[in-house]
Amino acid sequence: MGNKQTTFTEEQLEAYQVTGVTRQLAPHLVPLDYTNNPDIKVPATLIVTMPELKENPFRDRIVETFSEDGQGNMSFTDFVDMFSALCEAAPRELKTIYAFKIYDFNRDSFICKEDLKKTLNKLTKGELTPEEVTLVCDKAVEEADLDGDGKLSFADFENMISKAPDFLR
Amino acid sequence: MPPKRKNHLVIDIENVGMDVDADFDSESEDATRRRSRNRKAKPQRKARQVSDEEEEDEDEDKSPKRRGQRRRTKSRGDEDEDEDNGQQSVANKRSKASRRRGAKNSRKEQSDEEDESDKESKQKRGRAVSKKSKEEQNNEKKEKDKGKNGDNKNNKKKKAEKNSSPVSSDDSDEESEEMSEGELEALKEQVEEKKKLIATIRNKPWRMQKRLSVLKEAQDFVERFEGALGKGKGRRLYAFKVMMTKKLIKFNRDFENFKTACIPWEMKIKEVESHFGSSVASYFIFLRWMYGLNLILFGFMFGLVVMPEVLMGLPYGSIPRKTVPRSDQATEMDLSVLLDFGGYCQYSVLFYGYYNSDRTIGVLKFRLPLSYLLTSVGIFGYSLLVVIRMMARNADVGGDGGDDADFTFSWKMFTSWDYLIGNPETADNKYASITTSFKESIVDEQENQKDENIHLRRFCRVSANVLILCSLGGSGYLIYYVVKRSQDFAKMDPSSLSWFEKNEVEFVMSLLGLVCPPLFESIAELEDYHPRIALKWQLGRIFALFLGNLYTFLFALFDEVNGKLEEELSIKNSSEWALSQYYANYSAFYNTTVVPPPNVSPADVIRGPCWETAVGQEFVKLTVSDVEVTFLTILIGDFVRAFIVRFLNYCWCWDLEAGFPSYGEFDISGNVLGLVFNQGMIWMGAFYAPGLIGINVLRLLTSMYFQCWAVMACNVPHERVFKASKSNNFYMGLLLLVLFLSILPVIYTIMTMPPSFDCGPFSGQQKMYDVVMETINQDLPAFMGTIFSYASNPGLIMPAVLLMVLAIYYLNTVSKAYQQANADLKKKMKTARDDEKNRRNNKDSTNQMMKDLEELLPNKSLLPPPFEEDTPSETVSVKNSKQTKTKPGPTGKGVNVEKEVSLAAPNPRRPVTQAPVQRAGPPMNARGAHAEPGRGRGRGGPPRR
């Protein structure tokens, strides 16, 4: 009774499966025994080399978003968090929320044009000319910005995303 | 259950509760609702406490009930508090439950304490309203006195409705039964709530730590109380359901993958598309579609004509039409002859002449001539059907998706990356495709934004069209002139002509084909169209040019056919004459009337030129040379050029890659037209050479691989990558036109030309279609013949045609009406969207009309009641204070909480709660003394941020 984790919840089980993955990434950091909730963090540089993330243009942002310290160093629960949000069964609303956070580079709760520019450059590997980037960002804001403040709030973002046919992730 | 542990648990959970509370900012709508309820409830309760004391002596018989009532109200207050604190409620309840068992008094204390804390947090508000509510309460009491019964009922109803926590169960004995019922009800509700929480815990954007504890809490609760309610298998069922859903999802995904894998060349085309844009990909999709069509046509031709003849017909060498003539036998297997489709090839199953004219062949009594004719005509029918159906479907696609255009860029930006990509190569392709699609959209957008001198542009376009018309007319006249000249040359002695004079037509044609397309392209620069539209113009213009090509080809062909027909007639006459001579001599010599047929080898029989085979040969040769030219062009024009540019660049005096030769671009218009005209050749030639379709299938197959390779290896994307129109109906339209043009000559020959007398399935008939008449007359029952004769009666055909015209007219009208409706709906949608935008926007800048109207109206009429107006702002402030309180809270994770706050901020419901704050200005104006009558609604508001 006194023990905190006598029962395994569904997510915990999932989590314990994932432990193996984290161990593969950083065997020297992650212990086998997780019963005492050790406070261990895997650095971002290791996380982004995972096969699931290593080709993703937003990998750094993803890791930063889900990590507790905002630097990308992830504790075990952060790690589980990340994959439960990225997994297929995760509900759309949750994904929307996290997607917004990922795209919100400067963490001001708005996707402003700077964020859009960064997103675009990551998506196209900087192949577009600056004029084109500006054009695209302006157009995107114009399309999705419903309250006319020149940046996308979460409401705008959700409204836009909810109509997107292929927002699956 | 030791109480100690419970306390510990309570504390633990309360911590969680605090965290959760911070979270509830995100769901502040709910929170607001709850709080407002809370507020309403509290004064009532207090008032009741007061009034109870006053009226206790008045009616003593009611007192127990009232006590119960008071407790209920209290408990209701507790419940509100609980709801307010979300998860805390569970803890409270459970703790209460435990204490309940321990001692009643302690429970009361507890609730009182809670009351106290409640008062502390909301004292001010409570006091402010309490007086008013007291009065209300008094009124209520009076009313109650008037009608006890009704009141009783009311109370009970109240009990049933909002009674609540299990706390209230241990009340006075007389109510225990009712309460237990209510308790059960409430418990069920809570269990359901918990279950819902368990089910939706994935949706909560919380940290895993919190999720785990909340989940555990909820599961504990459900486990403990669900057993009491007699349904404990819910969890298992849930797990099973989840598992099945997962499996279903996985299966669906696999099935989708399988379906995609079944589409031929999908990967190749996607790869090309990712680097060269959808316009180039549209050519390959068109090519693939053509391949499919040709495969089906090949199936028809092969299964119904070629195979029966090969399997059941007479073997090679048995009759003259299946034997190479003696004079050609020496060279029949020479490669040069075979490459010209002479020699053995000419007398093979590839060509019309090989087929025998026996009415039926084999044991199956297969009617080959009939099958030949019907299949040839059926191919046209099927092709027409498919092309038109495709066009209709494409047009259909263009109809819907009115909302698509709204978020082009945003969607591209936020949803284009495929998060399943783990392969570097795929990722590169995806980057390329995203970049390409952005470029496409940018080109479209730039086209929309373009605004310049419209008169200049119009002038440029008109002059460009004039120039192109001139060059088209010039080349048309040139073709006409050359063909005329070649007819003159044909009458002269071939030996006196130079090489140039003999091949003048071909020379001029290829020269035109070489010079004109680039010329058109450079003239089209003047027009400055969007590249997609420019491509269409280019296609149309080159098509017009190529029509000249087609015209000369057909012209030459019919000349040849006419010559052959004359020759055939003379040969037929002479061979008949020879045969009659033979019969006359034979009967004269042997003095008998029973004449055996002349014993000559089939190779030595005199035979006609068989013009159908000759025409077929022409088509096959043309197709093959077309393939050769295409492949050579790609090899030399693209591959060698790319090779030179790539490797000579190291030792050259200027930059070859960026400078003059550079790499080639993929020539969409040329390739599409090549494909279309090639298909026209196939349609025309299939009747004369059944094997042609097979050759074409091979050609398309190789060309698919070869061109895919060539475009990826040697070409660079267009300077302005543009999106192909969603429906490639323009290609289809060209194809339909070519199909129509190629049907005409074939049907003409079938209906009017006499077939060769000694080769092909129709030899011996006056006209080719006689084979149908023959079948109708001989093989079908007599009434069918009469039906056909009626059906071919002009009296019946005319009304039928009239009916069809009417049907077309009707359908056309209907489709126009639908288009109109579609346009209207689109407009409506756009208006709705604009409205939404305006509603959220600052009002006075967007809707002058409304503003004017509002100025005319009395100020209060449109405003919401002040009370509701007030509450949210207060809520916000309370919330904020709570937030600050929780930050250094027991979790000890300052950073975490801060993140939670930032996480909660972008919640969709936030603007809803804030909206009244934004609107707070006008109502204050309305109520306040300084309200200006003329002040508009939007203008008076405070700055929005």
Side-chain angles (χ1 to χ4, degrees):
Chain A
M1 272 271 184
N3 194 349
K4 266 192 173 179
Q5 296 189 338
T6 43
T7 51
F8 276 175
T9 60
E10 215 178 298
E11 255 126 43
Q12 263 175 300
L13 277 178
E14 214 171 88
Y16 278 82
Q17 282 165 8
V18 181
T19 322
V21 183
T22 38
R23 284 206 76 249
Q24 275 178 10
L25 279 176
H28 53 285
L29 283 177
V30 183
L32 268 177
D33 181 23
Y34 245 95
T35 40
N36 295 326
N37 274 342
D39 186 27
I40 284 161
K41 300 216 164 180
V42 180
T45 44
L46 278 172
I47 298 276
V48 295
T49 55
M50 290 184 61
E52 284 83 359
L53 287 176
K54 74 173 194 287
E55 294 302 335
N56 198 313
F58 304 113
R59 51 183 177 268
D60 297 331
R61 269 307 294 165
I62 292 176
V63 172
E64 274 170 37
T65 307
F66 284 98
S67 69
E68 230 167 82
D69 57 1
Q71 299 296 313
N73 303 323
M74 303 189 90
S75 72
F76 174 62
T77 49
D78 294 337
F79 197 73
V80 178
D81 254 347
M82 177 168 80
F83 281 100
S84 70
L86 287 176
C87 90
E88 197 174 14
R92 214 180 154 97
E93 300 83 47
L94 186 67
K95 288 186 179 214
T96 314
I97 290 166
Y98 277 115
F100 184 82
K101 289 187 71 178
I102 288 169
Y103 290 129
D104 180 17
F105 279 79
N106 50 13
R107 297 177 205 172
D108 60 352
S109 314
F110 285 101
I111 296 182
C112 56
K113 284 188 182 168
E114 286 308 311
D115 296 332
L116 288 178
K117 270 180 195 164
K118 279 183 193 161
T119 309
L120 195 58
N121 280 331
K122 275 187 188 289
L123 262 184
T124 59
K125 282 190 169 173
E127 295 252 329
L128 297 180
T129 62
E131 296 84 49
E132 285 172 331
V133 170
T134 318
L135 177 81
V136 170
C137 293
D138 288 348
K139 284 306 292 180
V141 168
E142 189 187 319
E143 282 164 3
D145 185 23
L146 287 178
D147 46 16
D149 56 358
K151 47 191 179 181
L152 306 185
S153 65
F154 183 77
D156 300 333
F157 185 74
E158 198 198 24
N159 175 45
M160 180 266 295
I161 280 290
S162 64
K163 288 175 187 159
D166 47 6
F167 177 63
L168 295 170
R169 302 186 53 180
Chain B
M1 285 186 196
K4 191 187 168 190
R5 184 231 159 202
K6 241 162 256 152
N7 284 339
H8 166 72
L9 196 71
V10 168
I11 291 163
D12 217 5
I13 284 154
E14 266 166 3
N15 292 348
V16 172
M18 296 312 260
D19 257 8
V20 170
D21 201 18
D23 256 330
F24 265 92
D25 297 346
S26 62
E27 297 175 356
S28 49
E29 197 181 40
D30 294 28
T32 313
R33 204 175 357 102
R34 275 180 208 138
R35 282 195 182 107
S36 63
R37 232 208 294 164
N38 203 0
R39 254 194 317 283
K40 273 178 211 158
K42 216 152 292 155
Q44 257 186 7
R45 186 182 57 215
K46 269 176 213 153
R48 259 183 214 196
Q49 280 173 352
V50 179
S51 59
D52 258 1
E53 285 163 24
E54 288 174 7
E55 296 176 22
E56 201 138 27
D57 11 28
E58 276 181 31
D59 30 18
E60 282 182 12
D61 54 330
K62 250 200 265 170
S63 63
K65 207 170 282 167
R66 201 163 298 138
R67 213 182 306 142
Q69 188 187 339
R70 186 180 56 201
R71 277 192 199 118
R72 273 197 306 280
T73 38
K74 210 180 272 177
S75 70
R76 196 187 136 212
D78 289 346
E79 189 210 10
D80 286 337
E81 163 83 19
D82 291 343
E83 275 181 20
D84 198 10
N85 281 343
Q87 301 310 312
Q88 207 172 350
S89 69
V90 190
N92 287 337
K93 271 163 210 161
R94 200 177 309 150
S95 64
K96 274 174 218 154
S98 65
R99 275 174 224 150
R100 192 199 316 157
R101 261 167 247 162
K104 271 186 189 177
N105 290 336
S106 70
R107 179 194 61 75
K108 260 186 179 174
E109 275 173 27
Q110 166 78 13
S111 57
D112 283 342
E113 272 170 28
E114 274 176 23
D115 240 346
E116 280 304 309
S117 64
D118 201 21
K119 265 179 217 161
E120 271 172 26
S121 66
K122 289 151 197 172
Q123 217 173 8
K124 210 174 159 189
R125 217 182 315 134
R127 269 185 199 153
V129 200
S130 68
K131 264 188 191 172
K132 210 200 286 172
S133 58
K134 205 200 248 171
E135 286 169 17
E136 280 173 19
Q137 198 64 33
N138 283 336
N139 290 340
E140 218 178 81
K141 287 280 162 180
K142 277 164 200 164
E143 278 175 23
K144 222 191 274 171
D145 289 339
K146 279 170 197 167
K148 278 179 192 173
N149 287 337
D151 193 34
N152 263 350
K153 270 182 201 167
N154 231 3
N155 275 344
K156 273 177 195 168
K157 215 186 269 173
K158 264 186 194 169
K159 250 176 258 156
E161 271 178 358
K162 41 187 132 150
N163 150 3
S164 42
S165 51
V167 191
S168 47
S169 68
D170 56 330
D171 268 316
S172 45
D173 295 331
E174 57 209 80
E175 285 181 22
S176 65
E177 261 193 42
E178 280 177 276
M179 289 321 254
S180 75
E181 208 173 87
E183 185 191 8
L184 212 66
E185 197 80 353
L187 206 57
K188 259 186 195 168
E189 226 169 73
Q190 275 176 357
V191 168
E192 284 306 309
E193 207 175 279
K194 290 290 163 197
K195 273 187 182 169
K196 223 170 89 187
L197 183 71
I198 292 171
T200 58
I201 194 142
R202 289 165 175 283
N203 301 17
K204 304 276 194 288
W206 302 338
R207 293 267 163 220
M208 190 55 73
Q209 206 98 49
K210 185 180 312 153
R211 269 201 260 181
L212 278 181
S213 47
V214 171
L215 182 73
K216 198 163 139 241
E217 168 63 30
Q219 275 177 338
D220 277 353
F221 186 88
V222 170
E223 239 170 65
R224 192 170 312 149
F225 290 105
E226 207 173 39
L229 294 173
K231 31 176 187 175
K233 57 188 176 186
R235 197 173 157 197
R236 225 186 219 171
L237 193 71
Y238 173 73
F240 180 71
K241 245 195 250 167
V242 166
M243 198 185 69
M244 286 317 284
T245 346
K246 269 184 185 166
K247 287 218 163 121
L248 192 72
I249 288 171
K250 191 175 179 319
F251 174 77
N252 278 342
R253 203 173 56 191
D254 284 351
F255 189 67
E256 287 295 318
N257 284 348
F258 176 72
K259 269 202 302 195
T260 315
C262 282
I263 302 172
W265 304 306
E266 185 71 3
M267 287 296 295
K268 266 185 191 304
I269 291 175
K270 285 283 172 225
E271 201 180 339
V272 169
E273 184 173 358
S274 66
H275 284 96
F276 291 85
S278 51
S279 49
V280 175
S282 75
Y283 163 73
F284 283 99
I285 290 168
F286 187 56
L287 180 62
R288 182 175 64 185
W289 187 83
M290 289 291 246
Y291 178 73
L293 176 67
N294 274 285
L295 215 57
I296 293 168
L297 297 188
F298 176 70
F300 279 137
M301 208 44 156
F302 196 72
L304 294 174
V305 176
V306 178
M307 280 313 279
E309 178 69 28
V310 169
L311 292 179
M312 301 186 282
L314 294 166
Y316 172 81
S318 53
I319 49 173
R321 70 185 65 178
K322 296 189 177 187
T323 318
V324 180
R326 186 76 65 197
S327 56
D328 295 344
Q329 267 178 2
T331 59
E332 70 169 3
M333 293 307 270
D334 283 7
L335 194 65
S336 60
V337 177
L338 283 182
L339 280 181
D340 264 357
F341 292 92
Y344 178 74
C345 274
Q346 192 180 349
Y347 301 95
S348 74
V349 80
L350 280 181
F351 291 106
Y352 170 93
Y354 181 82
Y355 294 85
N356 202 352
S357 60
D358 288 345
R359 280 201 66 231
T360 59
I361 55 170
V363 285
L364 292 175
K365 305 264 177 226
F366 190 79
R367 294 189 182 81
L368 188 81
L370 182 70
S371 167
Y372 194 103
L373 187 76
L374 291 186
T375 307
S376 304
V377 176
I379 278 176
F380 284 124
Y382 179 77
S383 306
L384 269 178
L385 204 77
V386 167
V387 171
I388 287 173
R389 201 181 58 189
M390 196 69 188
M391 284 179 82
R393 195 186 296 161
N394 284 345
D396 206 47
V397 165
D400 62 358
D403 209 25
D404 276 7
D406 287 351
F407 295 116
T408 334
F409 284 100
S410 323
W411 285 350
K412 278 215 172 78
M413 183 129 34
F414 294 125
T415 69
S416 52
W417 183 261
D418 184 350
Y419 280 72
L420 293 176
I421 290 177
N423 177 6
E425 210 170 308
T426 324
D428 279 348
N429 278 347
K430 191 71 190 174
Y431 282 122
S433 98
I434 289 172
T435 313
T436 313
S437 79
F438 266 119
K439 279 186 179 160
E440 287 175 356
S441 295
I442 288 170
V443 166
D444 281 3
E445 195 51 44
Q446 279 170 345
E447 200 59 32
N448 286 343
Q449 284 178 350
K450 209 189 278 180
D451 53 319
E452 37 189 71
N453 194 342
I454 187 88
H455 295 295
L456 180 69
R457 186 114 66 91
R458 261 186 209 150
F459 172 76
C460 280
R461 285 183 181 172
V462 167
S463 55
N465 273 313
V466 167
L467 275 176
I468 282 170
L469 273 182
C470 284
S471 57
L472 268 181
S475 54
Y477 178 74
L478 193 64
I479 292 168
Y480 175 77
Y481 175 75
V482 172
V483 170
K484 253 298 205 281
R485 242 164 78 102
S486 75
Q487 282 174 321
D488 290 342
F489 286 141
K491 285 173 195 149
M492 288 155 66
D493 181 24
S495 57
S496 67
L497 296 173
S498 65
W499 175 86
F500 178 77
E501 280 169 332
K502 269 190 218 164
N503 296 298
E504 201 177 38
V505 178
E506 285 80 5
F507 185 76
V508 167
M509 292 308 305
S510 50
L511 197 71
L512 281 179
L514 214 65
V515 171
C516 280
L519 182 72
F520 291 166
E521 209 158 315
S522 48
I523 292 175
E525 295 275 303
L526 258 180
E527 295 177 312
D528 197 21
Y529 276 124
H530 181 278
R532 183 163 56 232
I533 301 162
L535 175 71
K536 281 188 181 177
W537 279 99
Q538 177 79 353
L539 276 171
R541 283 161 188 166
I542 303 176
F543 187 83
L545 182 74
F546 278 19
L547 277 184
N549 214 331
L550 200 71
Y551 149 80
T552 47
F553 177 72
L554 287 180
F555 208 87
L557 213 61
F558 271 95
D559 265 3
E560 199 184 318
V561 167
N562 283 329
K564 286 262 163 72
L565 277 174
E566 281 169 24
E567 189 188 341
E568 194 179 75
L569 203 64
S570 66
I571 288 177
K572 191 183 171 190
N573 285 339
S574 62
S575 66
E576 272 171 0
W577 183 77
L579 207 62
S580 62
Q581 285 284 306
Y582 162 77
Y583 281 129
N585 288 343
Y586 193 90
S587 52
F589 192 72
Y590 292 103
N591 211 5
T592 171
T593 50
V594 185
V595 185
N599 184 21
V600 279
S601 149
D604 297 328
V605 172
I606 307 165
R607 57 182 81 177
C610 197
W611 62 269
E612 290 96 339
T613 298
V615 171
Q617 259 177 316
E618 283 296 319
F619 278 112
V620 173
K621 267 193 264 181
L622 202 75
T623 307
V624 171
S625 70
D626 188 37
V627 176
E628 284 161 4
V629 167
T630 313
F631 283 16
L632 277 180
T633 316
I634 290 171
L635 264 186
I636 294 170
D638 286 329
F639 182 66
V640 175
R641 177 175 166 189
F643 197 82
I644 290 173
V645 167
R646 175 78 181 77
F647 289 103
L648 247 60
N649 203 26
Y650 294 123
C651 48
W652 205 261
C653 37
W654 70 81
D655 189 4
L656 284 172
E657 283 181 345
F660 161 59
S662 182
Y663 297 106
E665 286 182 356
F666 186 78
D667 177 18
I668 303 172
S669 56
N671 275 303
V672 166
L673 282 178
L675 202 58
V676 165
F677 274 93
N678 174 60
Q679 192 58 37
M681 295 291 146
I682 304 303
W683 275 320
M684 273 195 272
F687 181 71
Y688 307 106
L692 185 60
I693 298 181
I695 293 172
N696 192 44
V697 167
L698 281 181
R699 174 238 157 107
L700 292 178
L701 192 67
T702 45
S703 139
M704 188 81 197
Y705 285 106
F706 189 63
Q707 287 197 304
C708 267
W709 165 78
V711 79
M712 289 301 287
C714 335
N715 286 0
V716 288
H718 290 249
E719 204 173 326
R720 298 174 76 193
V721 182
F722 58 95
K723 202 187 299 171
S725 49
K726 218 189 241 166
S727 57
N728 47 0
N729 259 0
F730 196 74
Y731 299 167
M732 287 294 165
L734 291 181
L735 196 65
L736 191 68
L737 192 60
V738 164
L739 176 57
F740 198 71
L741 288 178
S742 55
I743 285 179
L744 286 180
V746 174
I747 296 297
Y748 175 76
T749 51
I750 289 176
M751 297 311 267
T752 59
M753 294 274 201
S756 302
F757 74 99
D758 62 347
C759 69
F762 309 113
S763 54
Q765 312 271 4
Q766 281 301 307
K767 294 276 184 294
M768 289 179 184
Y769 67 86
D770 281 350
V771 78
V772 181
M773 294 297 148
E774 195 185 79
T775 312
I776 289 170
N777 291 334
Q778 295 184 10
D779 297 335
L780 291 178
F783 73 91
M784 290 294 281
T786 36
I787 286 176
F788 273 104
S789 70
Y790 283 136
S792 56
N793 190 342
L796 217 62
I797 287 175
M798 288 303 287
V801 168
L802 208 64
L803 204 68
M804 260 195 257
V805 169
L806 282 179
I808 288 170
Y809 178 74
Y810 168 73
L811 289 178
N812 196 27
T813 318
V814 167
S815 85
K816 263 191 192 138
Y818 279 142
Q819 268 172 6
Q820 182 67 37
N822 207 342
D824 283 353
L825 284 177
K826 265 184 191 164
K827 213 168 162 188
K828 234 179 228 172
M829 274 166 72
K830 199 176 179 310
T831 324
R833 189 162 166 269
D834 286 350
D835 271 0
E836 195 184 2
K837 223 171 179 173
N838 288 350
R839 201 151 21 83
R840 298 202 192 195
N841 239 330
N842 205 348
K843 279 188 180 174
D844 59 358
S845 62
T846 48
N847 206 336
Q848 188 63 35
M849 276 285 279
M850 274 306 288
K851 208 183 90 186
D852 292 347
L853 197 65
E854 261 173 38
E855 276 176 8
L856 293 177
L857 290 169
N859 249 354
K860 276 181 186 173
S861 64
L862 278 176
L863 300 175
F867 182 70
E868 281 180 25
E869 206 63 67
D870 262 352
T871 48
S873 58
E874 274 202 31
T875 322
V876 170
S877 68
V878 168
K879 200 170 50 188
N880 285 340
S881 70
K882 279 205 172 177
Q883 273 177 17
T884 46
K885 223 165 44 182
T886 31
K887 237 181 237 173
T891 41
K893 282 188 231 161
V895 186
N896 185 11
V897 174
E898 209 165 61
K899 279 202 79 73
E900 291 305 334
V901 172
S902 77
L903 178 81
N907 190 285
R909 279 158 189 155
R910 177 68 174 267
V912 183
T913 56
Q914 276 191 346
V917 186
Q918 286 170 15
R919 261 184 283 143
M924 299 248 278
N925 282 344
R927 277 179 293 154
H930 60 288
E932 294 166 43
R935 209 153 179 200
R937 207 172 163 186
R939 239 191 301 164
R944 297 179 47 255
R945 190 162 293 103

